[in-house]
Amino acid sequence: MLSSEDYIRYQKQLKMADWGESQQLTLSRAKLLVVGAGGLASGALPYLAAAGIGNITIIDGDTVDLSNLGRQVIYQQADLGEFKAKKAEAYLQALNPSIQVQGIAQKLTEENAENLIQAVDLVIDCTDNFKTRYLINDHCVAMGKPFIYAAIHTWEGHLSVCNMRMDSGKMSPTYRCFFPNEPGPNEIPTCDEAGVLGFLPGILGIMQAKEAIFCLAGMSSPAQGALMTWDAQEMRSHFFALERDPLAEEKIFPTTEDSSIVRELSPEEAFAQWQDGQIDYVLDVREEDEWDFARIEGAIHIPMNEIPAKLAMLPKGSKGLVLCHHGMRSAHVIVYLQQQAGFKHVFNLAGGIDAWSRRINPDIPRY
Ligand SMILES: Nc1ncnc2c1ncn2[C@@H]1O[C@H](COP(=O)(O)OP(=O)(O)OP(=O)(O)O)[C@@H](O)[C@H]1O
């Protein structure tokens, strides 16, 4: 239920014909991860907080620099040298004390991405580099989370709502559907080299906030299923509709005999093959406390970092299924087993124990 203060705080949006208490409650229950707290986020964050998104996590390891203030307008001169994530947290919490905001003064990395992304409903990519965009894309695709991509270059902005189940029932394209390969080091100049006027990331950031609110409230938008470009000089937008690449998931976990490649089984395939005796062992590589909390009966448990020392526990010639919480750590273990230890018949459980619990055995607690 909305509090009496919320009715006053959100009264203007509650008056909208297409918006009501149920949409407002949906926003208040939503959890968002905003990656990067620079120019795009300076546009997006205030509107997300003001609209009443209930839980916002901001991750950025950078500190406020004088050269940021021309476009990162949620910071002030007095904030120079302070962590952006912490300053953004304080700004949003002051703007709307009825929501929860956490600032994490770190970069999003391979190590922390899985847990952070799993904990939220939606991710907003406000970063400025390809490596992080592919990192966000790959984790969101692996975990089935939608994310809002945006980027700017001189006078043009890009935006798309990626990996979202659309009204048509189809999944919207991923970042890899638009940009299959990472550009070379000097192929695309950065903002540092090409320059930028501060309003452009601000406008695109506000559009990201709008798309996030639409996505969470289940409202459709032309940016779902298309790449939008917006030209600041012409004041024009174009939408490039694109079907999702059917190999979107396989680009992350392709299926070949190459030892660097991870082959996956869906929970349904894995369950059927295990029942039929086609899978000889199930290896769970999560940590001790995760195993204590939830486990698949009959699995062997070896935490990821103990695998090299305990290889003898695994029957090398047999077919094995490897799992973790969502399928990322187990994918790394499989690459290790194939490349360093000569295993040939190891498969990853897609979506990990979380997907198993949702689709095969709901008695297994989720976390
Ligand atoms: N892996 C990552 N995890 C979290 N934040 C990131 C990551 N990669 C980039 N960022 C953040 O995204 C933000 C992008 O902001 P923006 O494009 O406005 O440029 P900037 O990096 O702040 O400034 P400048 O280009 O002048 O150095 C930065 O604050 C940066 O620290």
Side-chain angles (χ1 to χ4, degrees):
M1 245 192 61
L2 294 175
S3 68
S4 50
E5 193 181 299
D6 285 345
Y7 277 110
I8 301 171
R9 184 183 296 278
Y10 306 122
Q11 65 169 223
K12 292 292 187 283
Q13 60 205 54
L14 288 168
K15 282 187 178 154
M16 294 277 295
D18 297 329
W19 195 264
E21 192 167 334
S22 82
Q23 283 89 348
Q24 195 60 49
L25 282 169
T26 303
L27 290 200
S28 73
R29 292 188 199 110
K31 293 184 179 167
L32 264 192
L33 175 67
V34 178
V35 187
L40 288 165
S42 290
L45 284 171
Y47 288 94
L48 293 165
I53 306 282
N55 193 304
I56 303 176
T57 300
I58 308 152
I59 181 163
D60 193 318
D62 197 12
T63 54
V64 180
D65 185 84
L66 184 56
S67 66
N68 296 152
L69 297 186
R71 66 189 184 291
Q72 301 182 23
V73 293
I74 56 175
Y75 309 116
Q76 307 188 352
Q77 187 90 11
D79 298 334
L80 298 184
E82 305 276 350
F83 281 113
K84 291 179 184 177
K86 294 295 177 193
K87 282 286 139 188
E89 174 192 313
Y91 182 99
L92 298 191
Q93 206 63 87
L95 171 62
N96 189 349
S98 75
I99 62 167
Q100 290 191 344
V101 188
Q102 301 79 231
I104 304 175
Q106 288 171 22
K107 282 176 90 159
L108 187 82
T109 61
E110 284 286 353
E111 285 67 43
N112 60 21
E114 183 181 348
N115 282 339
L116 286 167
I117 293 176
Q118 183 53 37
V120 296
D121 304 301
L122 175 71
V123 178
I124 306 196
D125 178 353
C126 293
T127 64
D128 57 354
N129 60 84
F130 292 100
K131 188 165 171 274
T132 312
R133 289 186 193 126
Y134 287 111
L135 177 71
I136 293 170
N137 179 83
D138 293 355
H139 280 79
C140 285
V141 172
M143 291 182 230
K145 305 277 177 174
F147 66 98
I148 321 266
Y149 152 74
I152 49 134
H153 180 60
T154 60
W155 297 108
E156 190 172 286
H158 283 182
L159 179 144
S160 188
V161 183
C162 296
N163 202 44
M164 174 195 173
R165 189 159 304 280
M166 300 181 289
D167 282 352
S168 62
K170 290 183 179 173
M171 292 296 282
S172 69
T174 74
Y175 183 66
R176 285 185 189 273
C177 301
F178 300 124
F179 305 105
N181 302 311
E182 190 169 340
N186 298 316
E187 254 174 69
I188 299 188
T190 63
C191 282
D192 243 4
E193 294 150 6
V196 59
L197 272 165
F199 59 77
L200 185 62
I203 289 170
L204 266 292
I206 293 175
M207 289 184 181
Q208 284 183 296
K210 177 256 166 180
E211 292 304 331
I213 290 166
F214 268 47
C215 182
L216 290 168
M219 295 158 77
S220 57
S221 155
Q224 298 162 4
L227 178 69
M228 183 203 77
T229 61
W230 188 76
D231 183 323
Q233 285 174 310
E234 302 287 332
M235 293 284 281
R236 250 190 232 146
S237 50
H238 292 280
F239 290 86
F240 299 94
L242 198 70
E243 287 289 315
R244 186 183 175 97
D245 181 343
L247 299 178
E249 285 79 12
E250 285 197 23
K251 285 198 168 136
I252 307 170
F253 299 114
T255 313
T256 78
E257 291 309 307
D258 184 326
S259 68
S260 67
I261 295 310
V262 175
R263 291 166 295 175
E264 288 210 306
L265 292 176
S266 69
E268 291 78 11
E269 288 168 330
F271 181 65
Q273 292 189 20
W274 199 17
Q275 295 259 300
D276 288 354
Q278 294 175 47
I279 288 178
D280 303 295
Y281 65 95
V282 176
L283 169 65
D284 186 331
V285 299
R286 294 171 305 139
E287 298 305 308
E288 209 65 52
D289 54 338
E290 295 178 278
W291 169 261
D292 288 344
F293 185 73
R295 70 181 74 167
I296 296 176
E297 280 314 319
I300 306 168
H301 177 228
I302 310 178
M304 183 172 179
N305 59 6
E306 294 175 25
I307 298 275
K310 295 189 174 165
L311 277 179
M313 286 172 68
L314 302 174
K316 202 183 241 178
S318 319
K319 182 167 177 179
L321 177 74
V322 187
L323 71 112
C324 64
H325 191 194
H326 297 115
M328 298 303 287
R329 280 173 285 173
S330 47
H332 290 296
V333 168
I334 288 175
V335 171
Y336 168 80
L337 289 173
Q338 292 176 153
Q339 288 189 340
Q340 315 274 326
F343 281 72
K344 287 203 168 55
H345 310 294
V346 270
F347 291 77
N348 197 26
L349 175 61
I353 196 168
D354 187 69
W356 187 276
S357 151
R358 276 186 285 116
R359 286 152 58 174
I360 305 294
N361 183 358
D363 291 342
I364 297 176
R366 292 179 61 208
Y367 58 100

